[in-house]
Amino acid sequence: MLCSLLTSLYVFYCLAERCPPGSGPVAGVPGRGVPAGPRELAMWPAGAPRKRLLQLRQRRRRGRTGIGDSSDQDEQSPGLAAAPGGSGAGSSVAEAQPGTLALLLDEGSKQLPQAIIIGVKKGGTRALLEFLRVHPDVRAVGAEPHFFDRSYHKGLAWYRDLMPRTLEGQITMEKTPSYFVTREAPARISAMSKDTKLIVVVRDPVTRAISDYTQTLSKRPDIPSFESLTFRNRSAGLIDTSWSAIQIGLYAKHLEPWLRHFPLGQMLFVSGERLVSDPAGELRRVQDFLGLKRIITDKHFYFNQTKGFPCLKKAEGSGKPHCLGKTKGRAHPTIAREVLRQLRDFYRPFNRKFYQRPAATSAGMDSRNNLQRKKNNIKI
């Protein structure tokens, strides 16, 4: 009886990651150096590893101050080479460090992503990812891998090593908004897996361009005005499509290469506007598209009047409310009405072509007339 008590205490301390280095194996405990016999396996419930893994994750996260400020990570390339694995907020190393229960019990494995948020920049991709990570069956890299646009030469093994460990039934995801406008990305993702599900968060292209400019302005206050960057020839009304803030909004143009490698039904277009006005509704569509149980509902959100967008009542692995970082919700600069009108006229044929596609229509209804309904200094 005393031996059993001591063995139980040892297992408890090992699960709490307090075993001294080099300590010997424990007889009858799977994954502790000796094969477990039928009796021992019967005493080790099938669901125990996953339950203990989730409990340990919760304990490790209690010391954190929420998810953290993601800042502008959704448009930056993190230094991932020295930080493999994980799904931590704003960090790619939070879930796969040696010593976690997942590794101690040899539970889970790193998989190539089955779903990728491929765009668009300043459309709401960071919000969508943070909302999705509330779901217990979604495991995602917090920082952007930029594999299919910047690091493809490093190979799929390098890419897979960035992914968090997943258990059976969980989905591995990542998001890199620049994929949507990268010509090589469709063929590269298709070569990885033709079954990859693709999510595109779209938003009124005029508002998106202003938001893009606002972010750049916050980093480089000396850049020219929005108006001067928008036009090649202001008097002739010629739009400068070489400027990335304008070019990214040509959704119909960027979609064509993707349709040469993926059927339209394998792509989901999410409305950036509805992520703000009805996050639960958009998350319901996304969960259905990914084949997930509808777990994320209205009860997970509250609206932050100061920031002007929804926040999570409880973030992933935390009991505290969480809003996106301080860089989200910047007030847009005032843009002349005539400039806005010219931009709407410029985008109209591209929008019409893009939103006429059946799968894109529901996501585009809010985006098409967004600037006609909202003031141009909206916080998004």
Side-chain angles (χ1 to χ4, degrees):
M1 183 173 179
L2 179 59
C3 182
S4 298
L5 178 61
L6 292 174
T7 300
S8 300
L9 288 173
Y10 184 88
V11 172
F12 174 81
Y13 272 82
C14 286
L15 291 177
E17 298 188 291
R18 295 178 182 175
C19 289
S23 55
V26 179
V29 179
R32 287 293 175 187
V34 238
R39 180 183 176 188
E40 287 81 7
L41 287 175
M43 297 171 59
W44 193 269
R50 179 169 182 172
K51 180 178 179 181
R52 286 172 172 77
L53 173 58
L54 295 176
Q55 289 174 341
L56 182 58
R57 285 175 184 161
Q58 291 172 357
R59 287 199 299 270
R60 291 177 62 228
R61 286 172 174 159
R62 285 192 189 116
R64 299 179 185 173
T65 56
I67 284 186
D69 182 4
S70 59
S71 300
D72 291 325
Q73 281 183 335
D74 46 338
E75 283 85 38
Q76 296 176 355
S77 175
L80 290 173
S87 75
S91 169
S92 61
V93 298
E95 295 303 334
Q97 296 175 2
T100 62
L101 187 57
L103 294 177
L104 286 173
L105 296 176
D106 198 25
E107 275 293 304
S109 60
K110 294 187 176 186
Q111 305 289 336
L112 291 169
Q114 296 90 44
I116 303 176
I117 301 174
I118 60 173
V120 298
K121 178 183 178 183
K122 305 310 296 180
T125 59
R126 170 57 57 184
L128 177 60
L129 185 69
E130 296 292 354
F131 295 164
L132 271 176
R133 285 165 60 183
V134 172
H135 200 293
D137 290 332
V138 171
R139 304 287 291 126
V141 179
E144 294 171 5
H146 281 281
F147 175 66
F148 295 104
D149 57 352
R150 302 178 188 173
S151 301
Y152 193 65
H153 62 282
K154 296 181 179 179
L156 285 173
W158 177 87
Y159 181 51
R160 181 170 50 220
D161 196 47
L162 300 179
M163 299 298 122
R165 285 186 180 275
T166 52
L167 301 170
E168 185 178 354
Q170 292 182 320
I171 291 178
T172 302
M173 291 187 66
E174 70 116 318
K175 82 138 183 116
T176 305
S178 54
Y179 290 163
F180 188 61
V181 298
T182 300
R183 183 161 292 276
E184 300 82 7
R188 290 172 174 177
I189 294 177
S190 178
M192 176 187 72
S193 173
K194 295 183 181 297
D195 297 324
T196 306
K197 293 186 176 182
L198 308 173
I199 300 176
V200 187
V201 186
V202 293
R203 179 183 184 187
D204 179 279
V206 180
T207 310
R208 198 221 66 81
I210 298 172
S211 182
D212 199 336
Y213 172 80
T214 303
Q215 176 178 291
T216 304
L217 183 65
S218 69
K219 300 174 182 177
R220 297 167 50 200
D222 58 337
I223 62 171
S225 67
F226 179 86
E227 290 85 345
S228 63
L229 292 170
T230 297
F231 297 96
R232 278 192 300 162
N233 187 320
R234 178 67 185 273
S235 59
L238 295 177
I239 305 296
D240 187 358
T241 56
S242 66
W243 184 30
S244 63
I246 298 296
Q247 203 258 352
I248 290 173
L250 303 175
Y251 303 144
K253 175 183 175 182
H254 300 304
L255 180 61
E256 293 306 321
W258 292 95
L259 295 180
R260 290 196 285 270
H261 296 275
F262 294 93
L264 194 60
Q266 209 164 309
M267 304 178 72
L268 179 69
F269 298 89
V270 175
S271 167
E273 283 82 11
R274 283 207 294 267
L275 274 180
V276 175
S277 64
D278 181 21
E282 283 302 275
L283 266 293
R284 183 166 54 250
R285 295 179 59 238
V286 177
Q287 289 173 98
D288 289 349
F289 174 70
L290 295 175
L292 297 170
K293 184 178 179 180
R294 291 182 180 178
I295 290 178
I296 306 172
T297 63
D298 284 317
K299 68 181 181 181
H300 289 90
F301 302 98
Y302 73 95
F303 193 80
N304 186 302
Q305 297 291 343
T306 302
K307 282 185 169 290
F309 53 71
C311 300
L312 291 168
K313 291 181 180 178
K314 291 184 179 181
E316 179 201 22
S318 172
K320 298 180 180 179
H322 168 68
C323 287
L324 296 181
K326 61 183 178 182
T327 61
K328 309 300 180 182
R330 300 184 185 99
H332 291 179
T334 301
I335 309 298
R337 289 182 178 275
E338 179 60 19
V339 173
L340 297 177
R341 184 193 65 77
Q342 289 175 291
L343 278 174
R344 290 191 205 107
D345 291 343
F346 167 75
Y347 279 120
R348 187 168 292 113
F350 297 99
N351 290 346
R352 186 178 297 115
K353 183 178 180 181
F354 178 74
Y355 294 134
Q356 279 176 349
R357 298 185 184 278
T361 300
S362 62
M365 293 300 291
D366 287 339
S367 297
R368 272 190 294 186
N369 300 310
N370 183 46
L371 284 184
Q372 297 176 8
R373 301 194 313 268
K374 298 181 180 182
K375 296 179 181 179
N376 70 307
N377 64 344
I378 185 172
K379 297 180 179 180
I380 294 182

